[in-house]
Amino acid sequence: MSHDNSSRSGGFGHRLTIAFTINGRGVTREIRPALRLIDLIRDDLGLKGTKPGCLEGECGACTVLVDGDAVNSCLYLAANIDGKSVTTIEGLSAGVDGPGLDPVQRAVVEHGAVQCGFCTSGMIMAIESFKRQCDTDGVVPNRERIKKSLEGNLCRCTGYKKIIDAVQSLFEQVQGADGAS
Amino acid sequence: MNFDLVSPTTTEDLLRAIDEHRGRRFRFGAGYTDLLLDLEEQQDNELTVINLARLNDPSFTSIVHDGGEMRIGALVTASRIIADRKLQSRYPVLCQAAGQHGSRQIRHTATVGGNLCTASPAGDMACALVALRARCDILPARGDARSLAVSDFFLGVRETDLKEDEVLRRVIIPTDDGEVKTHSDFIKIGKRRSMECAVVSIAYHIESDGDDTMTRAGIAIGSVAPTIKYARSACEYLVGKRLSSLGPSERDEFAAKVVEYASPISDIRASAWYREDVLFNMSKSILENH
Ligand SMILES: Cc1cc2nc3c(=O)[nH]c(=O)nc-3n(C[C@H](O)[C@H](O)[C@H](O)COP(=O)(O)OP(=O)(O)OC[C@H]3O[C@@H](n4cnc5c(N)ncnc54)[C@H](O)[C@@H]3O)c2cc1C
Ligand code: FES
Ligand code: FES
């Protein structure tokens, strides 16, 4: 974070300069010290896919990845992404092989795991982070573990079953099993 | 929400920042899962947050196992505790408590230091650390570090022994490296299974030797008193006995000793009577399921 001396206050009303990566693109921004990450993403960067729900860490609608880990952007200080990499829902569909849905998004669509869609972007980011961790650890999670991984994401519409089915299908494909049960 | 922010990267800069803000309003910020909600209404221009999240000092940020002790930096997050192999095998109760902390998103940011310094009677990792008889390593802006048992660190609801110019650097769990059999768990009773603040909680860590005789017992209870309590006489009752040969009357006697440390209140989440009854039954159950 660049202001004159990081241990000294810049005085009230001062702004901080932060440099970070958003969906693969490097950016520099001047921000208020108390700015939350969700406000930076939605209002400053104009990425409205990240949703404000409770703004208290309970619902998960605001979930984004910071250096690959799912966090609630409503409880994260924007200043602390300096030097880090942030991924939002918009960063997924950019796709590795050009624009298109990424595997988690595709599974969610294929399983009909979306109704009103308000929880969906946060849900997908939480699943992304969980999937990456399972792949790194070489774990194929069972249903209980999948449910536990989504305890920070509320959905008012679907009743969760189709969401959990969608997550499970991601791991079945890895194993080469024949479709969801 | 409005505040100023300073982000020291070294301990030297941190201590200087504390010193410079002496007598002014400031708060520390670590994972911000409590602090941002606390400061939501904060509008005036008087508050500075000293941001610990950019600190690069391993004594604040790492988990070190060093012969006689296990040192966990105040900035270590719940998810890093869960993932630590050595903690999993030696002090599983801490991983069990961290695993029930909020959600995956919260666990990625919430720190063990923040959990202690918030001093909630329902703090989960804090409860496990009391059971493990961990110590707080505290750094003042000037002068020498001091150390204090976690159970003495809590003075009341949201009140700790930290002075205005002090910061929590790490927690230290004393370790002896012999072969032990561990029986431990963190049990949290709430109104639902996830994302719940405890109505009653118990953390226990019991070590037995090859002969099944209990050699070390740590039991802590949460949400049943203004602070998390270490149930000393209940712990002492177990040491020297064999876990597998405890009868029903001994289990009742043990549970009654645990309950002596509770002074629950009735509030929106549960009645005092309910809390005490649940605590009694939970205490018995930990000696039954091993
Ligand atoms: C949705 C949600 C669910 C939650 N679930 C749980 C749960 O299941 N169990 C549970 O126990 N808690 C829970 N909490 C509370 C919170 O996550 C924990 O208390 C957490 O451990 C706080 O850590 P932090 O790093 O976020 O602290 P912060 O919010 O950064 O700080 C908390 C307090 O400690 C002070 N502080 C932090 N670090 C230090 C330090 N090193 N030295 C001195 N002071 C310091 C701060 O000034 C502040 O007063 C939950 C919170 C939310 C929002
Ligand atoms: S808006 Fe962040 S968790 Fe609900
Ligand atoms: S689809 Fe409507 S909240 Fe989940």
Short mmCIF file of all heavy atoms in Angstrom, two decimals, chain B residues 167-229:
data_model
loop_
_atom_site.label_atom_id
_atom_site.label_comp_id
_atom_site.label_asym_id
_atom_site.label_seq_id
_atom_site.Cartn_x
_atom_site.Cartn_y
_atom_site.Cartn_z
N VAL B 167 -0.58 -5.53 22.23
CA VAL B 167 -1.14 -6.31 21.14
C VAL B 167 -0.87 -7.79 21.43
O VAL B 167 0.15 -8.13 22.05
CB VAL B 167 -0.55 -5.84 19.78
CG1 VAL B 167 0.96 -6.06 19.71
CG2 VAL B 167 -1.23 -6.51 18.59
N LEU B 168 -1.79 -8.64 21.02
CA LEU B 168 -1.57 -10.08 21.19
C LEU B 168 -0.72 -10.57 20.03
O LEU B 168 -1.06 -10.37 18.86
CB LEU B 168 -2.92 -10.82 21.19
CG LEU B 168 -2.84 -12.35 21.33
CD1 LEU B 168 -2.36 -12.74 22.72
CD2 LEU B 168 -4.20 -12.98 21.04
N ARG B 169 0.43 -11.20 20.35
CA ARG B 169 1.33 -11.65 19.30
C ARG B 169 1.05 -13.10 18.90
O ARG B 169 1.02 -13.44 17.74
CB ARG B 169 2.78 -11.52 19.76
CG ARG B 169 3.77 -12.09 18.75
CD ARG B 169 5.19 -11.63 19.01
NE ARG B 169 5.66 -11.97 20.35
CZ ARG B 169 6.89 -11.65 20.79
NH1 ARG B 169 7.73 -11.01 20.02
NH2 ARG B 169 7.26 -11.97 22.03
N ARG B 170 0.87 -13.97 19.88
CA ARG B 170 0.63 -15.39 19.57
C ARG B 170 0.10 -16.11 20.79
O ARG B 170 0.08 -15.55 21.88
CB ARG B 170 1.91 -16.07 19.08
CG ARG B 170 3.02 -15.98 20.08
CD ARG B 170 4.37 -16.42 19.48
NE ARG B 170 5.44 -16.03 20.37
CZ ARG B 170 6.71 -15.95 20.04
NH1 ARG B 170 7.09 -16.23 18.82
NH2 ARG B 170 7.61 -15.58 20.92
N VAL B 171 -0.34 -17.34 20.57
CA VAL B 171 -0.70 -18.19 21.71
C VAL B 171 0.25 -19.38 21.72
O VAL B 171 0.72 -19.84 20.67
CB VAL B 171 -2.16 -18.69 21.66
CG1 VAL B 171 -3.12 -17.57 22.01
CG2 VAL B 171 -2.52 -19.29 20.31
N ILE B 172 0.51 -19.85 22.91
CA ILE B 172 1.50 -20.91 23.07
C ILE B 172 0.87 -22.07 23.85
O ILE B 172 0.28 -21.87 24.91
CB ILE B 172 2.74 -20.36 23.84
CG1 ILE B 172 3.38 -19.25 22.99
CG2 ILE B 172 3.73 -21.49 24.14
CD1 ILE B 172 4.52 -18.53 23.66
N ILE B 173 0.97 -23.27 23.26
CA ILE B 173 0.45 -24.45 23.95
C ILE B 173 1.64 -25.28 24.41
O ILE B 173 2.48 -25.66 23.59
CB ILE B 173 -0.43 -25.31 23.02
CG1 ILE B 173 -1.49 -24.44 22.31
CG2 ILE B 173 -1.10 -26.43 23.79
CD1 ILE B 173 -2.25 -25.18 21.22
N PRO B 174 1.72 -25.54 25.71
CA PRO B 174 2.82 -26.37 26.21
C PRO B 174 2.66 -27.80 25.70
O PRO B 174 1.55 -28.33 25.64
CB PRO B 174 2.67 -26.32 27.72
CG PRO B 174 1.24 -25.94 27.97
CD PRO B 174 0.80 -25.15 26.79
N THR B 175 3.76 -28.42 25.29
CA THR B 175 3.69 -29.75 24.68
C THR B 175 4.72 -30.66 25.32
O THR B 175 5.86 -30.25 25.53
CB THR B 175 4.06 -29.67 23.18
OG1 THR B 175 3.25 -28.69 22.58
CG2 THR B 175 3.84 -30.99 22.48
N ASP B 176 4.32 -31.90 25.63
CA ASP B 176 5.37 -32.89 25.89
C ASP B 176 5.22 -33.96 24.84
O ASP B 176 4.13 -34.34 24.45
CB ASP B 176 5.30 -33.44 27.32
CG ASP B 176 3.89 -33.71 27.72
OD1 ASP B 176 3.24 -34.44 26.97
OD2 ASP B 176 3.43 -33.18 28.74
N ASP B 177 6.37 -34.43 24.34
CA ASP B 177 6.32 -35.17 23.10
C ASP B 177 6.16 -36.67 23.24
O ASP B 177 6.44 -37.40 22.31
CB ASP B 177 7.53 -34.82 22.24
CG ASP B 177 7.10 -33.90 21.11
OD1 ASP B 177 5.88 -33.82 20.89
OD2 ASP B 177 7.97 -33.29 20.47
N GLY B 178 5.72 -37.15 24.39
CA GLY B 178 5.56 -38.60 24.55
C GLY B 178 4.43 -39.14 23.70
O GLY B 178 3.64 -38.40 23.13
N GLU B 179 4.35 -40.45 23.60
CA GLU B 179 3.26 -41.10 22.89
C GLU B 179 2.02 -41.06 23.78
O GLU B 179 2.02 -41.57 24.89
CB GLU B 179 3.62 -42.57 22.62
CG GLU B 179 4.38 -42.78 21.31
CD GLU B 179 3.57 -42.36 20.08
OE1 GLU B 179 2.47 -42.92 19.91
OE2 GLU B 179 4.04 -41.48 19.34
N VAL B 180 0.99 -40.41 23.32
CA VAL B 180 -0.23 -40.37 24.12
C VAL B 180 -1.43 -40.72 23.24
O VAL B 180 -1.41 -40.54 22.03
CB VAL B 180 -0.49 -38.97 24.74
CG1 VAL B 180 0.46 -38.71 25.88
CG2 VAL B 180 -0.42 -37.89 23.69
N LYS B 181 -2.46 -41.22 23.92
CA LYS B 181 -3.73 -41.44 23.22
C LYS B 181 -4.61 -40.25 23.56
O LYS B 181 -4.74 -39.89 24.73
CB LYS B 181 -4.35 -42.74 23.75
CG LYS B 181 -5.22 -43.46 22.74
CD LYS B 181 -5.75 -44.76 23.32
CE LYS B 181 -7.15 -44.54 23.86
NZ LYS B 181 -7.59 -45.54 24.82
N THR B 182 -5.16 -39.61 22.53
CA THR B 182 -5.95 -38.40 22.78
C THR B 182 -7.43 -38.66 22.56
O THR B 182 -7.82 -39.28 21.56
CB THR B 182 -5.49 -37.29 21.82
OG1 THR B 182 -4.10 -37.10 22.00
CG2 THR B 182 -6.21 -35.98 22.13
N HIS B 183 -8.21 -38.22 23.50
CA HIS B 183 -9.67 -38.25 23.36
C HIS B 183 -10.13 -36.80 23.45
O HIS B 183 -9.95 -36.17 24.49
CB HIS B 183 -10.25 -39.10 24.50
CG HIS B 183 -11.74 -39.09 24.58
ND1 HIS B 183 -12.55 -39.33 23.50
CD2 HIS B 183 -12.58 -38.86 25.62
CE1 HIS B 183 -13.82 -39.26 23.87
NE2 HIS B 183 -13.87 -38.96 25.16
N SER B 184 -10.66 -36.26 22.34
CA SER B 184 -10.99 -34.84 22.38
C SER B 184 -12.15 -34.53 21.46
O SER B 184 -12.43 -35.28 20.52
CB SER B 184 -9.78 -34.01 21.95
OG SER B 184 -9.71 -33.97 20.55
N ASP B 185 -12.81 -33.45 21.72
CA ASP B 185 -13.79 -32.94 20.76
C ASP B 185 -14.22 -31.54 21.20
O ASP B 185 -13.96 -31.12 22.34
CB ASP B 185 -15.02 -33.84 20.66
CG ASP B 185 -15.74 -33.69 19.30
OD1 ASP B 185 -15.36 -32.80 18.51
OD2 ASP B 185 -16.68 -34.45 19.04
N PHE B 186 -14.86 -30.87 20.26
CA PHE B 186 -15.50 -29.60 20.57
C PHE B 186 -16.97 -29.79 20.22
O PHE B 186 -17.29 -30.12 19.08
CB PHE B 186 -14.88 -28.48 19.75
CG PHE B 186 -15.57 -27.17 19.96
CD1 PHE B 186 -15.38 -26.45 21.12
CD2 PHE B 186 -16.46 -26.67 19.01
CE1 PHE B 186 -16.05 -25.24 21.33
CE2 PHE B 186 -17.12 -25.48 19.21
CZ PHE B 186 -16.92 -24.76 20.38
N ILE B 187 -17.83 -29.63 21.20
CA ILE B 187 -19.26 -29.82 20.94
C ILE B 187 -19.96 -28.49 21.14
O ILE B 187 -19.82 -27.85 22.19
CB ILE B 187 -19.88 -30.87 21.89
CG1 ILE B 187 -19.05 -32.16 21.90
CG2 ILE B 187 -21.32 -31.18 21.48
CD1 ILE B 187 -19.49 -33.16 22.94
N LYS B 188 -20.68 -28.09 20.11
CA LYS B 188 -21.37 -26.80 20.16
C LYS B 188 -22.85 -27.05 19.96
O LYS B 188 -23.26 -27.63 18.96
CB LYS B 188 -20.79 -25.91 19.06
CG LYS B 188 -21.55 -24.65 18.76
CD LYS B 188 -20.63 -23.59 18.16
CE LYS B 188 -20.65 -23.55 16.65
NZ LYS B 188 -20.00 -22.34 16.10
N ILE B 189 -23.65 -26.67 20.92
CA ILE B 189 -25.09 -26.79 20.77
C ILE B 189 -25.62 -25.41 20.41
O ILE B 189 -25.40 -24.44 21.15
CB ILE B 189 -25.75 -27.26 22.09
CG1 ILE B 189 -25.12 -28.57 22.58
CG2 ILE B 189 -27.26 -27.42 21.91
CD1 ILE B 189 -25.39 -29.78 21.73
N GLY B 190 -26.29 -25.33 19.27
CA GLY B 190 -26.90 -24.07 18.87
C GLY B 190 -28.32 -24.36 18.42
O GLY B 190 -28.86 -25.43 18.70
N LYS B 191 -28.90 -23.42 17.71
CA LYS B 191 -30.27 -23.64 17.25
C LYS B 191 -30.31 -24.35 15.91
O LYS B 191 -31.35 -24.81 15.47
CB LYS B 191 -31.00 -22.31 17.17
CG LYS B 191 -31.19 -21.71 18.57
CD LYS B 191 -32.44 -20.90 18.63
CE LYS B 191 -32.94 -20.86 20.06
NZ LYS B 191 -34.10 -19.99 20.20
N ARG B 192 -29.21 -24.33 15.20
CA ARG B 192 -29.11 -25.09 13.95
C ARG B 192 -27.68 -25.58 13.86
O ARG B 192 -26.86 -25.29 14.72
CB ARG B 192 -29.50 -24.22 12.76
CG ARG B 192 -28.74 -22.92 12.74
CD ARG B 192 -29.15 -22.02 11.59
NE ARG B 192 -28.41 -20.77 11.71
CZ ARG B 192 -28.11 -19.99 10.68
NH1 ARG B 192 -28.47 -20.34 9.48
NH2 ARG B 192 -27.45 -18.87 10.86
N ARG B 193 -27.36 -26.31 12.78
CA ARG B 193 -26.04 -26.94 12.75
C ARG B 193 -24.94 -26.03 12.23
O ARG B 193 -23.78 -26.20 12.58
CB ARG B 193 -26.11 -28.21 11.92
CG ARG B 193 -26.38 -29.40 12.81
CD ARG B 193 -26.00 -30.72 12.21
NE ARG B 193 -25.83 -30.73 10.79
CZ ARG B 193 -26.13 -31.76 10.02
NH1 ARG B 193 -26.62 -32.84 10.54
NH2 ARG B 193 -25.93 -31.71 8.72
N SER B 194 -25.28 -25.09 11.36
CA SER B 194 -24.23 -24.27 10.75
C SER B 194 -24.34 -22.82 11.17
O SER B 194 -25.44 -22.36 11.50
CB SER B 194 -24.36 -24.33 9.23
OG SER B 194 -24.05 -25.61 8.78
N MET B 195 -23.23 -22.11 11.08
CA MET B 195 -23.22 -20.66 11.25
C MET B 195 -23.91 -20.24 12.54
O MET B 195 -24.68 -19.30 12.56
CB MET B 195 -23.97 -19.98 10.09
CG MET B 195 -23.37 -20.20 8.76
SD MET B 195 -21.86 -19.27 8.59
CE MET B 195 -22.51 -17.71 8.04
N GLU B 196 -23.67 -20.98 13.60
CA GLU B 196 -24.44 -20.71 14.80
C GLU B 196 -23.54 -20.31 15.95
O GLU B 196 -22.46 -20.83 16.13
CB GLU B 196 -25.27 -21.96 15.14
CG GLU B 196 -26.16 -21.84 16.33
CD GLU B 196 -27.13 -20.65 16.31
OE1 GLU B 196 -26.89 -19.67 15.59
OE2 GLU B 196 -28.12 -20.71 17.04
N CYS B 197 -24.02 -19.33 16.70
CA CYS B 197 -23.36 -18.93 17.92
C CYS B 197 -23.81 -19.92 19.00
O CYS B 197 -25.00 -20.25 19.10
CB CYS B 197 -23.83 -17.51 18.22
SG CYS B 197 -23.07 -16.82 19.66
N ALA B 198 -22.87 -20.42 19.79
CA ALA B 198 -23.19 -21.49 20.74
C ALA B 198 -24.20 -21.06 21.80
O ALA B 198 -24.15 -19.94 22.31
CB ALA B 198 -21.91 -21.97 21.41
N VAL B 199 -25.13 -21.97 22.13
CA VAL B 199 -26.00 -21.80 23.29
C VAL B 199 -25.27 -22.40 24.51
O VAL B 199 -25.33 -21.88 25.61
CB VAL B 199 -27.35 -22.50 23.03
CG1 VAL B 199 -28.11 -22.75 24.31
CG2 VAL B 199 -28.19 -21.68 22.06
N VAL B 200 -24.60 -23.49 24.25
CA VAL B 200 -23.70 -24.12 25.22
C VAL B 200 -22.58 -24.76 24.40
O VAL B 200 -22.85 -25.34 23.34
CB VAL B 200 -24.39 -25.28 25.99
CG1 VAL B 200 -23.45 -25.83 27.06
CG2 VAL B 200 -25.70 -24.86 26.59
N SER B 201 -21.35 -24.68 24.87
CA SER B 201 -20.29 -25.41 24.18
C SER B 201 -19.33 -26.01 25.19
O SER B 201 -19.21 -25.52 26.32
CB SER B 201 -19.53 -24.50 23.20
OG SER B 201 -18.95 -23.43 23.90
N ILE B 202 -18.68 -27.09 24.78
CA ILE B 202 -17.68 -27.71 25.64
C ILE B 202 -16.51 -28.17 24.77
O ILE B 202 -16.72 -28.70 23.68
CB ILE B 202 -18.28 -28.87 26.48
CG1 ILE B 202 -17.30 -29.40 27.52
CG2 ILE B 202 -18.75 -30.01 25.58
CD1 ILE B 202 -17.96 -30.26 28.59
N ALA B 203 -15.31 -27.88 25.23
CA ALA B 203 -14.11 -28.34 24.54
C ALA B 203 -13.38 -29.25 25.52
O ALA B 203 -13.22 -28.89 26.68
CB ALA B 203 -13.22 -27.16 24.16
N TYR B 204 -12.96 -30.42 25.05
CA TYR B 204 -12.19 -31.28 25.97
C TYR B 204 -11.02 -31.93 25.27
O TYR B 204 -11.08 -32.26 24.08
CB TYR B 204 -13.08 -32.32 26.64
CG TYR B 204 -13.73 -33.31 25.72
CD1 TYR B 204 -13.13 -34.55 25.46
CD2 TYR B 204 -14.95 -33.03 25.10
CE1 TYR B 204 -13.73 -35.47 24.62
CE2 TYR B 204 -15.55 -33.95 24.25
CZ TYR B 204 -14.94 -35.16 24.01
OH TYR B 204 -15.53 -36.06 23.17
N HIS B 205 -9.96 -32.07 26.02
CA HIS B 205 -8.75 -32.70 25.52
C HIS B 205 -8.25 -33.60 26.65
O HIS B 205 -7.82 -33.10 27.69
CB HIS B 205 -7.71 -31.62 25.18
CG HIS B 205 -6.37 -32.18 24.82
ND1 HIS B 205 -6.05 -32.57 23.54
CD2 HIS B 205 -5.27 -32.47 25.57
CE1 HIS B 205 -4.81 -33.04 23.51
NE2 HIS B 205 -4.32 -32.98 24.74
N ILE B 206 -8.36 -34.90 26.43
CA ILE B 206 -7.97 -35.85 27.48
C ILE B 206 -6.87 -36.75 26.92
O ILE B 206 -7.01 -37.31 25.83
CB ILE B 206 -9.19 -36.70 27.92
CG1 ILE B 206 -10.26 -35.78 28.54
CG2 ILE B 206 -8.77 -37.78 28.92
CD1 ILE B 206 -11.59 -36.46 28.80
N GLU B 207 -5.77 -36.87 27.66
CA GLU B 207 -4.67 -37.74 27.22
C GLU B 207 -4.59 -38.94 28.16
O GLU B 207 -4.71 -38.79 29.37
CB GLU B 207 -3.35 -36.96 27.25
CG GLU B 207 -3.28 -35.87 26.20
CD GLU B 207 -1.98 -35.07 26.25
OE1 GLU B 207 -1.07 -35.43 27.03
OE2 GLU B 207 -1.89 -34.09 25.50
N SER B 208 -4.39 -40.11 27.56
CA SER B 208 -4.23 -41.31 28.37
C SER B 208 -2.93 -42.01 28.00
O SER B 208 -2.46 -41.89 26.86
CB SER B 208 -5.37 -42.29 28.12
OG SER B 208 -6.61 -41.66 28.31
N ASP B 209 -2.38 -42.76 28.95
CA ASP B 209 -1.15 -43.51 28.64
C ASP B 209 -1.52 -44.89 28.09
O ASP B 209 -2.70 -45.21 27.90
CB ASP B 209 -0.25 -43.59 29.88
CG ASP B 209 -0.92 -44.35 31.02
OD1 ASP B 209 -1.92 -45.05 30.76
OD2 ASP B 209 -0.44 -44.22 32.16
N GLY B 210 -0.51 -45.73 27.86
CA GLY B 210 -0.73 -47.04 27.26
C GLY B 210 -1.67 -47.90 28.08
O GLY B 210 -2.32 -48.83 27.57
N ASP B 211 -1.78 -47.60 29.35
CA ASP B 211 -2.58 -48.39 30.27
C ASP B 211 -4.01 -47.83 30.37
O ASP B 211 -4.79 -48.24 31.23
CB ASP B 211 -1.86 -48.28 31.63
CG ASP B 211 -2.42 -49.25 32.64
OD1 ASP B 211 -2.83 -50.35 32.21
OD2 ASP B 211 -2.46 -48.89 33.83
N ASP B 212 -4.33 -46.83 29.53
CA ASP B 212 -5.65 -46.21 29.52
C ASP B 212 -5.89 -45.30 30.74
O ASP B 212 -7.02 -44.92 31.03
CB ASP B 212 -6.75 -47.29 29.43
CG ASP B 212 -8.05 -46.71 28.92
OD1 ASP B 212 -7.99 -45.73 28.16
OD2 ASP B 212 -9.11 -47.22 29.30
N THR B 213 -4.84 -45.01 31.48
CA THR B 213 -4.98 -44.11 32.62
C THR B 213 -4.85 -42.67 32.14
O THR B 213 -3.93 -42.35 31.38
CB THR B 213 -3.89 -44.40 33.67
OG1 THR B 213 -4.02 -45.77 34.07
CG2 THR B 213 -4.02 -43.49 34.89
N MET B 214 -5.78 -41.82 32.58
CA MET B 214 -5.76 -40.43 32.12
C MET B 214 -4.63 -39.67 32.80
O MET B 214 -4.50 -39.68 34.02
CB MET B 214 -7.11 -39.77 32.39
CG MET B 214 -8.21 -40.32 31.48
SD MET B 214 -9.83 -39.61 31.77
CE MET B 214 -10.44 -40.67 33.07
N THR B 215 -3.79 -39.03 31.96
CA THR B 215 -2.63 -38.32 32.48
C THR B 215 -2.78 -36.81 32.39
O THR B 215 -2.09 -36.07 33.08
CB THR B 215 -1.37 -38.73 31.69
OG1 THR B 215 -1.66 -38.57 30.30
CG2 THR B 215 -0.99 -40.17 31.97
N ARG B 216 -3.67 -36.37 31.51
CA ARG B 216 -3.88 -34.93 31.35
C ARG B 216 -5.33 -34.73 30.91
O ARG B 216 -5.82 -35.47 30.05
CB ARG B 216 -2.93 -34.39 30.29
CG ARG B 216 -3.17 -32.96 29.86
CD ARG B 216 -2.06 -32.51 28.90
NE ARG B 216 -2.38 -31.22 28.28
CZ ARG B 216 -1.61 -30.59 27.41
NH1 ARG B 216 -0.47 -31.11 27.04
NH2 ARG B 216 -1.98 -29.42 26.89
N ALA B 217 -6.00 -33.79 31.52
CA ALA B 217 -7.39 -33.54 31.13
C ALA B 217 -7.64 -32.04 31.14
O ALA B 217 -7.30 -31.35 32.09
CB ALA B 217 -8.35 -34.24 32.09
N GLY B 218 -8.19 -31.55 30.04
CA GLY B 218 -8.53 -30.13 29.97
C GLY B 218 -9.96 -30.00 29.49
O GLY B 218 -10.32 -30.54 28.45
N ILE B 219 -10.78 -29.33 30.28
CA ILE B 219 -12.18 -29.16 29.91
C ILE B 219 -12.55 -27.68 30.04
O ILE B 219 -12.29 -27.07 31.08
CB ILE B 219 -13.10 -30.02 30.80
CG1 ILE B 219 -12.91 -31.50 30.44
CG2 ILE B 219 -14.58 -29.65 30.60
CD1 ILE B 219 -12.64 -32.35 31.58
N ALA B 220 -13.12 -27.12 28.98
CA ALA B 220 -13.54 -25.71 29.03
C ALA B 220 -14.98 -25.62 28.54
O ALA B 220 -15.39 -26.39 27.67
CB ALA B 220 -12.63 -24.85 28.16
N ILE B 221 -15.71 -24.68 29.12
CA ILE B 221 -17.12 -24.53 28.73
C ILE B 221 -17.39 -23.10 28.27
O ILE B 221 -16.82 -22.14 28.80
CB ILE B 221 -18.07 -24.93 29.90
CG1 ILE B 221 -17.73 -24.19 31.20
CG2 ILE B 221 -18.01 -26.44 30.12
CD1 ILE B 221 -18.64 -24.54 32.36
N GLY B 222 -18.24 -22.99 27.26
CA GLY B 222 -18.54 -21.68 26.67
C GLY B 222 -20.02 -21.35 26.73
O GLY B 222 -20.87 -22.25 26.83
N SER B 223 -20.33 -20.07 26.70
CA SER B 223 -21.71 -19.55 26.66
C SER B 223 -22.54 -19.84 27.91
O SER B 223 -23.76 -19.75 27.87
CB SER B 223 -22.48 -20.09 25.45
OG SER B 223 -21.95 -19.56 24.28
N VAL B 224 -21.89 -20.21 28.99
CA VAL B 224 -22.65 -20.47 30.22
C VAL B 224 -22.16 -19.61 31.39
O VAL B 224 -22.52 -19.85 32.54
CB VAL B 224 -22.59 -21.97 30.63
CG1 VAL B 224 -23.46 -22.80 29.70
CG2 VAL B 224 -21.17 -22.48 30.64
N ALA B 225 -21.35 -18.61 31.08
CA ALA B 225 -20.83 -17.68 32.10
C ALA B 225 -20.33 -16.45 31.33
O ALA B 225 -20.22 -16.50 30.11
CB ALA B 225 -19.70 -18.35 32.88
N PRO B 226 -20.03 -15.35 32.01
CA PRO B 226 -19.56 -14.15 31.30
C PRO B 226 -18.28 -14.40 30.51
O PRO B 226 -18.01 -13.72 29.52
CB PRO B 226 -19.31 -13.15 32.43
CG PRO B 226 -20.16 -13.61 33.56
CD PRO B 226 -20.22 -15.10 33.45
N THR B 227 -17.47 -15.36 30.96
CA THR B 227 -16.26 -15.71 30.20
C THR B 227 -16.24 -17.23 30.02
O THR B 227 -16.96 -17.95 30.71
CB THR B 227 -14.97 -15.31 30.96
OG1 THR B 227 -14.96 -16.00 32.21
CG2 THR B 227 -14.91 -13.81 31.21
N ILE B 228 -15.37 -17.68 29.13
CA ILE B 228 -15.16 -19.12 28.98
C ILE B 228 -14.49 -19.62 30.25
O ILE B 228 -13.59 -18.97 30.79
CB ILE B 228 -14.27 -19.38 27.75
CG1 ILE B 228 -15.02 -18.94 26.49
CG2 ILE B 228 -13.86 -20.83 27.66
CD1 ILE B 228 -14.12 -18.72 25.29
N LYS B 229 -14.93 -20.77 30.75
CA LYS B 229 -14.41 -21.25 32.04
C LYS B 229 -13.61 -22.54 31.87
O LYS B 229 -14.01 -23.44 31.12
CB LYS B 229 -15.57 -21.54 32.99
CG LYS B 229 -16.33 -20.31 33.43
CD LYS B 229 -15.54 -19.55 34.46
CE LYS B 229 -16.28 -18.30 34.88
NZ LYS B 229 -15.44 -17.37 35.63
#
